[in-house]
Amino acid sequence: MDENDILSRIHSLVDEEHKLRDSAEHTDETRARMSKVEADLDQCWDLLRQRRAKRQYDEDPDEAEVRPEKTVENYLQ
């Protein structure tokens, strides 16, 4: 997955997140989906940052890997 693919995925997830937040119904299913979208976004942003850092330090950005949800969800903000 290259940076354009990652950014495209981020934009798609952000659009979905906005639709979910703007919907009148906030069911358990909607809340669960929103949590999943947020976790997926965190993973995408993390992958994008890894790729950019690797490129900055003359490493191969294709070696960046998606980290587990549990890892990226526990980063300090």
Side-chain angles (χ1 to χ4, degrees):
M1 192 181 262
D2 70 8
E3 287 189 27
N4 288 329
D5 293 334
I6 297 168
L7 287 168
S8 177
R9 177 78 174 132
I10 287 171
H11 290 295
S12 172
L13 289 166
V14 167
D15 288 343
E16 182 178 357
E17 180 183 34
H18 287 163
K19 287 177 188 169
L20 288 168
R21 290 189 187 282
D22 291 343
S23 78
E25 280 189 54
H26 289 277
T27 63
D28 289 342
E29 206 172 277
T30 305
R31 284 188 284 278
R33 180 62 191 154
M34 199 172 318
S35 291
K36 177 67 175 142
V37 167
E38 290 169 353
D40 288 351
L41 271 169
D42 289 343
Q43 286 177 305
C44 286
W45 281 116
D46 176 68
L47 181 59
L48 186 63
R49 285 189 294 270
Q50 285 182 63
R51 290 183 59 85
R52 289 177 174 174
K54 285 186 177 293
R55 186 174 295 108
Q56 180 179 355
Y57 293 101
D58 296 322
E59 296 178 24
D60 183 1
D62 291 333
E63 291 178 357
E65 296 181 0
V66 176
R67 294 184 228 220
E69 182 180 318
K70 189 174 183 178
T71 300
V72 298
E73 288 297 295
N74 289 321
Y75 287 151
L76 295 176
Q77 300 283 326

